[in-house]
Amino acid sequence: MSSAAGPDPSEAPEERHFLSTAEAAALERELLEDYRFGRQQLVELCGHASAVAVTKAFPLPALSRKQRTVLVVCGPEQNGAVGLVCARHLRVFYEPTIFYPTRSLDLLHRDLTTQCEKMDIPFLSYLPTEVQLINEAYGLVVDAVLGPGVEPGEVGGPCTRALATLKLLSIPLVSLDIPSGWDAETGSDSEDGLRPDVLVSLAAPKRCAGRFSGRHHFVAGRFVPDDVRRKFALRLPGYTGTDCVAAL
């Protein structure tokens, strides 16, 4: 795990952009325990920044009405909670729909689901298996199914089947934190798994992001204190103006 020691001068510069799984967990613990961030607070910050990243990758003036329809696919773990927040913020600019097949009983997930329902964001009862129906109905899809360290088998059959469908889409795909199904360390399954057009790394990119080859890669981590960035030797681009995301 990275400590307060500075980065190794012999380390390749690009390696300092990424966090190992252990370092990412340690960074989150630091925010929760030392800086007293709440879990809901972090989910809100990440979800809002993810929505902002979507607006930068797909600017509203360049989109037709059909292209403003967004399908957000959420899993039952923390990445799914971020997806629910992302959908709520997207509601201000786009026309989001949520597919949340395996609902968590966690109170945070339930509260976020209620907020989306109160904002009249529709929830799909099932995901069409005919990929063309999804391609025709939506302008893009947000993948918030699996986060780092979560295996497809852990979230149930409906999520696994949803991922199999997402692999076949021809419309743009935005993955939050890591593409669902990828190993956060090695990026294994990056060839046969999801191939997102946009990746939004939360707090800081994970090691597997080094294998991402899509059109846009954003980091949503402006909320990470400077001392924490220095402790984990993060070398990331600066944030412009009041932006909460930065392009990598």
Side-chain angles (χ1 to χ4, degrees):
M1 185 182 76
S2 180
S3 66
D8 182 350
S10 65
E11 189 178 17
E14 62 269 16
E15 291 179 347
R16 293 198 292 266
H17 289 279
F18 308 117
L19 289 178
S20 68
T21 302
E23 289 169 336
L27 189 152
E28 184 174 16
R29 280 197 306 274
E30 185 115 357
L31 295 176
L32 292 170
E33 298 173 7
D34 294 354
Y35 281 81
R36 307 308 297 169
F37 279 83
R39 188 164 72 94
Q40 182 171 357
Q41 184 181 13
L42 290 179
V43 166
E44 184 71 27
L45 288 165
C46 289
H48 172 258
S50 297
V52 171
V54 171
T55 69
K56 289 185 175 296
F58 305 97
L60 282 169
L63 300 180
S64 66
R65 180 175 176 81
K66 183 265 180 183
Q67 289 173 317
R68 298 185 188 193
T69 55
V70 181
L71 177 62
V72 183
V73 184
C74 298
E77 304 293 337
Q78 182 158 306
N79 223 35
V82 174
L84 291 169
V85 175
C86 177
R88 172 160 47 81
H89 285 287
L90 286 174
R91 176 68 178 80
V92 179
F93 308 106
Y94 300 85
E95 298 176 21
T97 295
I98 297 171
F99 180 56
Y100 183 21
T102 307
R103 297 198 179 194
S104 171
L105 297 178
D106 179 80
L107 183 60
L108 174 58
H109 278 250
R110 289 161 59 186
D111 288 345
L112 296 175
T113 299
T114 298
Q115 291 166 14
C116 290
E117 290 172 339
K118 291 288 189 183
M119 291 187 67
D120 296 325
I121 300 174
F123 282 73
L124 292 182
S125 57
Y126 68 95
L127 190 68
T129 54
E130 294 183 41
V131 175
Q132 192 56 32
L133 292 178
I134 302 173
N135 289 333
E136 292 174 355
Y138 301 100
L140 63 108
V141 174
V142 175
D143 155 38
V145 183
L146 306 177
V150 182
E151 298 295 330
E154 297 176 29
V155 295
C159 287
T160 302
R161 290 192 293 272
L163 290 177
T165 300
L166 296 188
K167 292 178 186 179
L168 305 176
L169 296 177
S170 60
I171 54 177
L173 180 67
V174 179
S175 285
L176 305 187
D177 210 15
I178 69 170
S180 290
W182 285 29
D183 183 281
E185 288 281 345
T186 65
S188 61
D189 270 350
S190 61
E191 296 302 319
D192 297 326
L194 297 183
R195 303 292 295 274
D197 302 270
V198 180
L199 177 63
V200 185
S201 293
L202 306 180
K206 314 310 178 282
R207 280 184 176 166
C208 68
R211 300 189 66 174
F212 172 69
S213 58
R215 289 187 291 158
H216 302 285
H217 184 188
F218 297 97
V219 60
R222 193 163 195 170
F223 59 87
V224 178
D226 289 342
D227 285 348
V228 176
R229 282 200 288 265
R230 284 192 289 269
K231 180 174 181 178
F232 288 88
L234 291 173
R235 298 290 183 88
L236 300 171
Y239 293 86
T240 303
T242 58
D243 285 353
C244 58
V245 296
L248 287 170

